[in-house]
Amino acid sequence: MAAHGDTRDSGSAASMAAPGLEAYGMHPLSHGQRALWFLHQLAPGSAAYNIVRAVRIVSDLDVPALARAFQRLVDRHAALRTTFTAREGQPLQHVHEHMDACFQVRDASGWSRGALNERLAEESVCPFDLERGPLMRVTLFEGAAAGPVLLVALHHIITDLWSQAILSFELGALYTEESGGPAAPLKPLAMQYTDHVRAQAELLAGPEGEALRWYWLEQLSGDLPALGLCTDRPRPPRQTYRGASASLRLSDGLAQGLRALSQAHGATLYATLLAAFQVLLHRYTGQEDILVGSPTAGRRPRLAGVVGYFVNPIVLRADLGGDPTFADFLRQVQATSQAGLDRAGYPFPLLVEQLQPVRDPSRSPLFQAMFAWEKTSRLFAGARFAPFALGESGGRVNAGRLAMESLALEQRIAQFDLTLAMAEDDAELAASLEYNTDLYDAATIERLLGHFQALLEGVVAGPDRSLSVLPLLSEAERRQVL
């Protein structure tokens, strides 16, 4: 879900040829990978791009079978046995023919819940060595009071949320086979991530790539305002990526109202929630020109089963001038977001290079707030997958003989000032707001989430009201004001 800073110093040709090196497993990087590699060179000890999930195993567990299943995942997916190096200053990804899975077992017998949680948090922020690898670490904590806990950490340069769902599903299938069950129904992969890198380079070199470039340059022409949200403390001179998160669960009635509103106005639920978030930022800042990033899957259908870093953020610009009604503004957001999603193939790091915004190490380029719509994985029909997507407790999936419950980890990383992630499970809507703790206090974020909920309720009750009169205050705040 990452977006990245200006990478002009690292070069921009993701398709740069590496004559004779492919025979040795050396390949060029995608534009997204190049940006992450460059950021890693600036701060090799940072854990800002660690993707970490923790689950509790609630089924009987065969530990050797689990270790073998992870090894088969590494054998199956080239991204999991990839490291990154540089030749003459240019990064290359080295796909190894074989790599041992990093699978470790820790004895957590007698640990308190607090001690286990602290150890999980510490393991989550251990940095990766991109050159030496491995870039996936698996740690099983046995003997915990409520059952064994599995912590899986990967560097973002080889994975994304879609990939996490693939790995969870395939792990269950392979574990079932390794523990004596039926054979895993997994077809051989016809493509790997390096095929995506090659296809991306070909697209960008052709007329389709040029059309995408001109679309985004037009969308983001003129002055691009930084988000002027008031902070609890002065902004540090450089981004620190220190973060935390808060959560919100919408009532079934409000969720149903939002779906009905979306349908009545010919909009997706994604567009309705995005529009509400942009209105919230407008009401907080007074800005009429709002830029919000939003991650897209970045995959073509033939790459649906491939693990790798495909996600690509797009920049969605909203014009809130003239105090429109929410219904009118929603029509604008639906059109803008659909056009952006249809043109999501242009790499964000390359867009930053093209626009050449003024460098500001204290902020992420182009946008400082992200809106993520996390769809429930189709691989786990009937499962509560939203908590897995949001990194919260309470989700449960049955993957073959492996039954897992999601565990929330203490959030210590924030890639942006604010990231609002929302997910849907059946009738339920849940939100997680990740924030930079150098800028905001927890109380400020809780209040902002409360205002977001009040705004959503006001939108459902009166979508034809002007943005300026939509409610923000909770009932308790209104009583206090009165």
Side-chain angles (χ1 to χ4, degrees):
M1 186 164 65
H4 319 293
D6 193 332
T7 60
R8 282 171 280 172
D9 289 346
S10 70
S12 61
S15 59
M16 184 175 296
L21 291 179
E22 290 199 1
Y24 298 95
M26 299 289 190
H27 302 269
L29 279 61
S30 68
H31 282 279
Q33 285 181 315
R34 289 179 69 88
L36 281 179
W37 180 85
F38 178 64
L39 290 172
H40 183 80
Q41 308 313 303
L42 294 177
S46 172
Y49 293 99
N50 287 13
I51 305 297
V52 188
R53 291 291 183 267
V55 297
R56 191 181 307 282
I57 307 297
V58 293
S59 53
D60 293 336
L61 182 61
D62 180 338
V63 176
L66 184 64
R68 293 193 299 270
F70 271 106
Q71 183 62 58
R72 289 182 64 181
L73 284 178
V74 173
D75 296 340
R76 176 175 169 82
H77 294 283
L80 301 182
R81 53 181 195 277
T82 297
T83 56
F84 296 81
T85 187
R87 294 282 182 98
E88 299 178 355
Q90 294 299 327
L92 293 169
Q93 53 182 319
H94 181 193
V95 179
H96 300 260
E97 289 189 11
H98 175 79
M99 181 177 287
D100 290 335
C102 181
F103 184 91
Q104 303 177 40
V105 180
R106 299 278 187 263
D107 184 5
S109 302
W111 291 13
S112 66
R113 178 176 296 181
L116 176 60
N117 290 342
E118 181 61 27
R119 183 61 180 272
L120 292 172
E122 291 174 357
E123 294 277 353
S124 299
V125 295
C126 288
F128 284 95
D129 185 332
L130 295 191
E131 187 161 6
R132 296 179 61 186
L135 302 184
M136 180 176 74
R137 296 191 299 257
V138 181
T139 309
L140 177 67
F141 293 90
E142 282 195 304
V149 172
L150 187 68
L151 184 76
V152 182
L154 300 95
H155 195 282
H156 205 348
I157 202 168
I158 63 164
T159 191
D160 54 21
L161 183 63
W162 187 309
S163 298
Q164 299 292 92
I166 293 171
L167 291 175
S168 297
F169 175 79
E170 292 189 355
L171 176 66
L174 293 170
Y175 171 78
T176 298
E177 179 181 336
E178 291 294 339
S179 59
L186 304 180
K187 297 179 181 179
L189 293 172
M191 304 184 76
Q192 291 288 354
Y193 185 78
T194 51
D195 296 305
H196 161 69
V197 177
R198 191 176 300 109
Q200 183 186 71
E202 293 171 355
L203 179 146
L204 295 174
E208 183 180 353
E210 186 66 7
L212 292 175
R213 184 175 79 91
W214 279 110
Y215 172 81
W216 287 110
L217 290 180
E218 182 180 355
Q219 287 294 304
L220 301 175
S221 61
D223 294 332
L224 300 178
L227 185 65
L229 203 62
C230 292
T231 60
D232 293 313
R233 283 171 294 282
R235 183 178 294 273
R238 288 187 171 275
Q239 285 181 277
T240 64
Y241 303 107
R242 286 190 284 264
S245 64
S247 60
L248 172 68
R249 197 161 293 277
L250 305 185
S251 68
D252 289 349
L254 179 53
Q256 291 169 6
L258 289 166
R259 293 187 186 94
L261 169 68
S262 303
Q263 185 174 9
H265 290 83
T268 61
L269 184 56
Y270 162 82
T272 299
L273 295 169
L274 168 64
F277 185 49
Q278 290 170 323
V279 170
L280 181 71
L281 297 177
H282 162 66
R283 292 284 298 274
Y284 261 71
T285 64
Q287 293 176 231
E288 296 181 345
D289 189 1
I290 296 287
L291 301 175
V292 170
S294 190
T296 63
R299 293 169 182 261
R300 299 194 175 196
R302 293 179 64 193
L303 293 162
V306 176
V307 169
Y309 177 49
F310 294 90
V311 65
N312 185 53
I314 57 176
V315 187
L316 299 175
R317 193 171 194 174
D319 178 7
L320 297 105
D323 196 21
T325 66
F326 184 81
D328 288 339
F329 179 61
L330 177 57
R331 279 190 283 273
Q332 175 199 145
V333 173
Q334 174 63 35
T336 301
S337 60
Q338 188 59 59
L341 291 170
D342 290 342
R343 296 165 177 83
Y346 198 77
F348 177 81
L350 190 55
L351 179 61
V352 175
E353 293 180 14
Q354 293 287 317
L355 291 170
Q356 297 190 8
V358 176
R359 293 172 181 256
D360 182 353
S362 71
R363 304 173 188 268
S364 57
L366 303 189
F367 63 86
Q368 292 78 51
M370 172 81 86
F371 176 78
W373 177 239
E374 311 290 13
K375 291 186 178 180
T376 299
S377 174
R378 296 178 181 177
L379 297 173
F380 298 103
R384 293 197 65 239
F385 200 76
F388 283 87
L390 298 178
E392 298 179 348
S393 297
R396 176 158 180 163
V397 298
N398 294 319
R401 290 183 171 182
L402 201 60
M404 301 174 283
E405 289 183 351
S406 62
L407 290 179
L409 295 171
E410 181 185 346
Q411 181 66 34
R412 297 183 177 183
I413 300 295
Q415 294 173 358
F416 304 96
D417 291 4
L418 295 174
T419 297
L420 177 64
M422 300 198 69
E424 183 179 29
D425 264 348
D426 297 328
E428 194 173 64
L429 277 175
S432 174
L433 185 58
E434 182 183 279
Y435 62 97
N436 188 307
T437 53
D438 286 325
L439 304 178
Y440 305 110
D441 293 329
T444 299
I445 297 302
E446 291 288 353
R447 186 164 59 250
L448 187 146
L449 277 176
H451 291 166
F452 182 59
Q453 179 171 333
L455 177 64
L456 292 174
E457 292 169 349
V459 162
V460 169
D464 294 320
R465 284 189 286 180
S466 298
L467 302 184
S468 61
V469 299
L470 288 170
L472 285 188
L473 300 182
S474 66
E475 184 61 34
E477 287 175 317
R478 283 196 292 270
R479 286 197 300 269
Q480 184 177 5
V481 170
L482 292 174

